[in-house]
Amino acid sequence: MEHLTTFNATGLAAAQVAKRVTTDGPNDVPETPFSFPKAVLARLWEPSAWILEGALVLEIILGKTVQAGFILLMLLFAAIDGAIQAKRATTVLQSLAHQLTPTVTVKRDGTWQQRPAKDLVVGDLISLNRGDLVPADAEVLTHPLELNESSISGEANALTRDPGSTIFAGTEVLNGHALATVTQTGVNSRAGKTISLVNQSSSPGHLQRLLGKIIGYLALLDTVLAVILIGVALLRGENLITMLPFLAMLFIATIPIAMPSSFAVANSVEAKVLSQKHVLVSDLTGIQEAANLDLLLVDKTGTITANQPQVVQFTNLSALSDATLIQLAASATDPRHPSVIDQALRAYAAARQLTALVPQRFIPFTAATGYSSATVVTADTTFNLHLGGYTKLSALLSDDIPITVDFAAGRTVALTVNDALAGIFVLQDQPRPDSATAIQTIQHRGVQVMMLTGDNVRTAQAVAQQVGLTGQVVSFDHLDQVADPHQLAGIADVVPENKLAVVERFQQLGHVVGMTGDGVNDAPALKQAEVGIAVANATDLAKRAAKVVLLTPGLTALTTILDSGHRVYQRMMTWTITKLSRTAELTLLLTLGYLWLRHIPLALNAMILVAILNDVVTLVLGTDHTITTVQPEHWNLRRLSRLAGVLAGSWTIIGLLLMAILSASGIPTGQLSTVLYVYLITSAMLTILMTRTPHHWWQSQPSRPVMVAIGTNLALTIGLALTGWGVTAITVTLLVSTLVGTLLVSLLLDIGYVHLQRHDAL
């Protein structure tokens, strides 16, 4: 082991730790509590708010205090709504962050322990290995470490920190293995905060990118219509100043400004559900992408198998006794960060009452070398040992030794003694009892499962058959020759560095890829995959790169991720199609109504009420009942546009007919505006009911919060229309006629909409 003379090799005592916690506090920074007033004020100082605030000032100047009051109501609603959504998402994300706090290997009272990073104090002796996040500022003591310091420097280039150097909290250990002494913790560290694995700001998913395009189209449509309205007003010699508040509201009401917070809430609701089922979400886009998942790449070891290998065969190729050789192999394992292979070899030795010797020198296994190294000195002999993969070690040796080992029986680990091949251990890892059932369930959801393993083709094929994966297993070197990926059950001879190439290849073929992983070298592939999944025993780097973290072993939990993804998909489909159809309907009715009637047919107050009441339902859509499918979903701009277009076109035509009938009947302008307001709210609520289910809307019951929101909107609309508060009062007959007519139209429209959905799904 390292020669520990310049620092306390036994670590701190419990009494010292307790004292330093009292003086320095825990190794974290108290979270700034969410401030609702600040969140509201922040939303009153942004571009969308500035448009409304300009309209508010203009109405005050024009002396229209009632209209100014309604604009103020819209401003406050938008700000409070956004703050509510932000608080809900923040609460869930902070809860997940606490569960994803890293652990650290620390020496206390002479023994190595696994402790939460927040428990560290100044002076603690910690062990850092590849894949760890540095939990506090520390001084490197024994060996160089290769670090990624982008979290503090912004530069992603790997840097080497030698013994005596200071390393900082939040940086990542890319390679190496060393002891370090903690120098600063918590608020005193350079990072100034405990590391959280929750990636709250992530790249947008497929849905956000798609809707980003739609927002651009809506903004372009609004601009074109605004130019038309202004041009016509100029030709008619009308006062442009009086039109400006309407133009401002046109942009506010049509562009989905609340989209980011609506998505965050929809995803965070499911993130909370998943956390209760032992699945933690570190990137919210991973949930919605799960609905589109059609290919799942699964690590054999630790996911399909139990990752508890046992030695099933031992071959002695040396003149040493079996007992000596087994003891030497155990001595070349890592005592501080034992891998499952190390644990299996130590267990094999312990079963024979053999104890590992303490090496004078030890270099742990790295992926770059492929083996660990140790020097063991006994009373009469010095042994220079290498322990690692047979292929790697045999390539270093010049001797051609005939081997009588069945390499297809399992994983082979070789031991060299003084640069001579001395022994070979064969380890087997049995499939988990639940793997076959879990794989079958996932495949029934339309997701192809493909196994990745470092084993040879013969061994991998046997495991694939055991767990019900049908098809051929090919070597990674022959992957480019595969014409149809659906014929594959697995890919063999895969080293961790190959996994990124595998993910990218299948993405290039048009698949939405999920992947499970646990190691440092899995991190790039986990980050690249649309649904990167870190398994229960994953390193901190793998968890940071992944979008989802499993807290229980095996594949069973993956079906819950698929379920959550489909629920988010359905709720966002409802939100998206409803928003697009309502946007087009409102825009077209106002524009065409102005060109025809020579005035904007909807009063500003009514327009504000339409915007507010429509958005109220989005507050509770995340709670709605859903009908999930058993096949991957696909976000398609043409399909979305077609579905929304049918609804928007139909409602617009009916709205124009309604205006024509009212105008021909000599209904005053104020009452026409109120009838149109009632029509817009009622048609919007019915559109929500239609788009939330693939069946007829009267066959599927919404959740109670959604029913309450829709019922409240309709009740408020009816009350305002009858009392004349904020809008012109209309008669009961006119109100009932509008409501009944809209309901009857929805029944006919729903029949066509359901047929269109089923046709598009084929």
Side-chain angles (χ1 to χ4, degrees):
M1 301 293 289
E2 295 91 344
H3 189 54
L4 309 178
T5 58
T6 59
F7 51 89
N8 181 3
T10 62
L12 297 179
Q16 293 175 293
V17 172
K19 182 178 179 181
R20 292 184 183 181
V21 168
T22 302
T23 56
D24 299 339
N27 181 34
D28 62 10
V29 177
E31 295 175 351
T32 302
F34 183 86
S35 172
F36 196 82
K38 287 183 179 179
V40 171
L41 290 175
R43 282 158 179 79
L44 291 175
W45 187 250
E46 57 185 14
S48 60
W50 296 341
I51 297 174
L52 280 177
E53 287 159 2
L56 173 63
V57 172
L58 184 59
E59 292 289 5
I60 293 174
I61 292 174
L62 295 174
K64 298 181 179 180
T65 55
V66 175
Q67 288 86 342
F70 271 87
I71 293 178
L72 180 60
L73 178 65
M74 178 66 182
L75 263 173
L76 293 177
F77 170 80
I80 294 172
D81 177 23
I84 291 172
Q85 306 275 35
K87 180 176 175 59
R88 291 174 67 185
T90 300
T91 300
V92 173
L93 288 170
Q94 287 181 348
S95 173
L96 295 177
H98 295 159
Q99 298 180 67
L100 285 171
T101 300
T103 59
V104 61
T105 303
V106 57
K107 203 165 193 181
R108 298 267 178 85
D109 293 320
T111 61
W112 289 104
Q113 307 172 16
Q114 287 290 321
R115 306 284 299 178
K118 66 179 182 179
D119 291 349
L120 289 181
V121 297
V122 173
D124 261 328
L125 180 64
I126 59 176
S127 176
L128 297 174
N129 199 16
R130 64 192 304 269
D132 289 341
L133 295 177
V134 178
D137 292 357
E139 179 185 350
V140 181
L141 299 174
T142 53
H143 294 102
L145 291 174
E146 187 177 318
L147 301 173
N148 173 9
E149 296 188 347
S150 59
S151 61
I152 59 172
S153 67
E155 300 294 332
N157 296 331
L159 300 173
T160 300
R161 298 303 181 195
D162 296 315
S165 301
T166 298
I167 55 179
F168 301 103
T171 56
E172 306 167 355
V173 181
L174 300 177
N175 217 338
H177 182 123
L179 299 182
T181 298
V182 174
T183 56
Q184 297 287 350
T185 61
V187 294
N188 297 318
S189 68
R190 177 167 175 177
K193 59 183 177 180
T194 301
I195 302 306
S196 166
L197 293 177
V198 174
N199 187 5
Q200 297 187 32
S201 56
S202 59
S203 58
H206 285 86
L207 177 56
Q208 282 95 323
R209 291 194 293 270
L210 175 66
L211 290 189
K213 295 180 181 179
I214 294 175
I215 290 174
Y217 295 146
L218 290 177
L220 179 61
L221 174 64
D222 283 345
T223 302
V224 170
L225 293 179
V227 170
I228 292 174
L229 288 172
I230 292 173
V232 172
L234 289 174
L235 290 175
R236 292 175 176 174
E238 297 174 354
N239 187 352
L240 287 180
I241 297 297
T242 60
M243 289 189 63
L244 291 180
F246 288 97
L247 294 176
M249 275 305 307
L250 189 67
F251 279 91
I252 295 298
T254 55
I255 297 177
I257 298 167
M259 183 187 73
S261 58
S262 297
F263 280 19
V265 169
N267 288 318
S268 62
V269 166
E270 288 302 324
K272 186 175 182 179
V273 171
L274 287 174
S275 69
Q276 295 167 350
K277 297 181 179 180
H278 310 292
V279 177
L280 299 183
V281 179
S282 57
D283 185 332
L284 293 178
T285 60
I287 302 177
Q288 68 188 44
E289 296 286 11
N292 312 111
L293 184 68
D294 63 358
L295 175 62
L296 179 64
L297 305 175
V298 181
D299 256 348
K300 180 195 73 120
T301 304
T303 307
I304 292 178
T305 63
N307 200 22
Q308 296 176 345
Q310 297 177 339
V311 177
V312 296
Q313 182 181 339
F314 167 61
T315 303
N316 190 339
L317 304 173
S318 73
L320 299 171
S321 67
D322 287 358
T324 300
L325 208 60
I326 293 170
Q327 187 176 40
L328 290 176
S331 304
T333 60
D334 190 340
R336 293 203 301 268
H337 297 276
S339 66
V340 291
I341 300 298
D342 292 340
Q343 294 170 14
L345 293 174
R346 284 180 169 252
Y348 189 67
R352 288 153 182 76
Q353 287 77 50
L354 300 172
T355 304
L357 303 172
V358 179
Q360 190 178 74
R361 180 188 64 87
F362 176 74
I363 300 175
F365 173 94
T366 66
T369 60
Y371 54 81
S372 61
S373 302
T375 299
V376 174
V377 179
T378 63
D380 52 1
T381 310
T382 297
F383 298 101
N384 291 312
L385 310 174
H386 292 93
L387 181 70
Y390 168 77
T391 303
K392 176 69 72 172
L393 288 177
S394 61
L396 301 178
L397 304 175
S398 57
D399 297 337
D400 187 12
I401 302 175
I403 305 298
T404 58
V405 176
D406 182 7
F407 288 98
R411 180 181 297 187
T412 54
V413 177
L415 175 70
T416 67
V417 178
N418 296 330
D419 297 325
L421 187 62
I424 295 177
F425 299 84
V426 178
L427 292 80
Q428 283 186 352
D429 188 11
Q430 296 301 313
R432 292 175 49 82
D434 59 348
S435 290
T437 302
I439 287 173
Q440 185 180 37
T441 302
I442 294 170
Q443 289 175 329
H444 284 167
R445 302 293 297 270
V447 180
Q448 181 186 0
V449 180
M450 191 180 298
M451 181 179 70
L452 303 183
T453 177
D455 292 339
N456 56 57
V457 172
R458 181 178 165 187
T459 302
Q461 189 77 63
V463 174
Q465 291 175 351
Q466 283 181 282
V467 296
L469 289 173
T470 58
Q472 67 176 129
V473 174
V474 300
S475 173
F476 172 78
D477 295 333
H478 299 149
L479 183 59
D480 291 341
Q481 301 171 16
V482 177
D484 184 6
H486 292 94
Q487 298 176 350
L488 294 182
I491 305 173
D493 303 316
V494 176
V495 297
E497 292 83 356
N498 298 148
K499 293 178 181 178
L500 176 61
V502 173
V503 172
E504 290 177 333
R505 171 168 173 75
F506 289 121
Q507 286 176 328
Q508 290 167 1
L509 293 174
H511 292 281
V512 177
V513 179
M515 179 185 160
T516 68
D518 61 356
V520 179
N521 291 329
D522 294 341
L526 289 173
K527 194 170 187 66
Q528 177 67 26
E530 282 87 353
V531 188
I533 304 165
V535 296
N537 62 341
T539 63
D540 289 340
L541 281 184
K543 291 176 181 177
R544 168 172 278 187
K547 294 179 174 67
V548 179
V549 181
L550 305 182
L551 299 184
T552 55
L555 292 168
T556 303
L558 294 184
T559 56
T560 64
I561 300 172
L562 295 177
D563 289 339
S564 286
H566 280 279
R567 286 194 292 268
V568 168
Y569 171 87
Q570 183 59 51
R571 290 161 185 161
M572 288 297 95
M573 276 286 289
T574 300
W575 188 92
T576 303
I577 296 175
T578 302
K579 180 65 179 179
L580 292 179
S581 62
R582 287 189 284 109
T583 293
E585 177 190 3
L586 176 64
T587 304
L588 291 173
L589 280 177
L590 293 183
T591 303
L592 296 176
Y594 173 75
L595 296 177
W596 174 28
L597 301 174
R598 303 182 69 88
H599 65 84
I600 295 177
L602 190 66
L604 179 62
N605 300 348
M607 192 185 302
I608 292 172
L609 286 171
V610 168
I612 292 176
L613 297 183
N614 280 336
D615 282 345
V616 162
V617 185
T618 65
L619 286 168
V620 294
L621 273 182
T623 70
D624 195 17
H625 301 152
T626 58
I627 300 175
T628 59
T629 64
V630 294
Q631 294 297 321
E633 305 286 2
H634 300 284
W635 285 103
N636 183 291
L637 181 57
R638 287 186 178 180
R639 180 172 183 266
L640 282 173
S641 301
R642 187 161 50 247
L643 292 173
V646 167
L647 292 172
S650 301
W651 287 125
T652 300
I653 291 172
I654 299 302
L656 291 173
L657 288 175
L658 180 61
M659 283 194 291
I661 294 171
L662 294 175
S663 297
S665 302
I667 295 294
T669 300
Q671 292 187 12
L672 187 150
S673 171
T674 301
V675 171
L676 188 58
Y677 157 62
V678 172
Y679 170 75
L680 286 170
I681 291 295
T682 307
S683 63
M685 298 302 103
L686 290 168
T687 299
I688 289 173
L689 293 176
M690 283 190 282
T691 56
R692 58 172 298 277
T693 173
H695 306 302
H696 296 297
W697 64 261
W698 57 86
Q699 295 176 323
S700 175
Q701 182 176 339
S703 68
R704 178 169 295 185
V706 173
M707 291 180 64
V708 169
I710 291 176
T712 301
N713 280 355
L714 292 174
L716 183 61
T717 297
I718 292 171
L720 294 178
L722 291 176
T723 61
W725 190 88
V727 295
T728 303
I730 58 176
T731 64
V732 173
T733 301
L734 195 52
L735 175 66
V736 172
S737 300
T738 304
L739 293 174
V740 172
T742 307
L743 178 61
L744 292 176
V745 168
S746 76
L747 298 178
L748 296 174
L749 181 57
D750 184 70
I751 295 173
Y753 182 75
V754 170
H755 175 76
L756 180 61
Q757 280 194 99
R758 292 173 179 171
H759 180 268
D760 279 350
L762 297 178

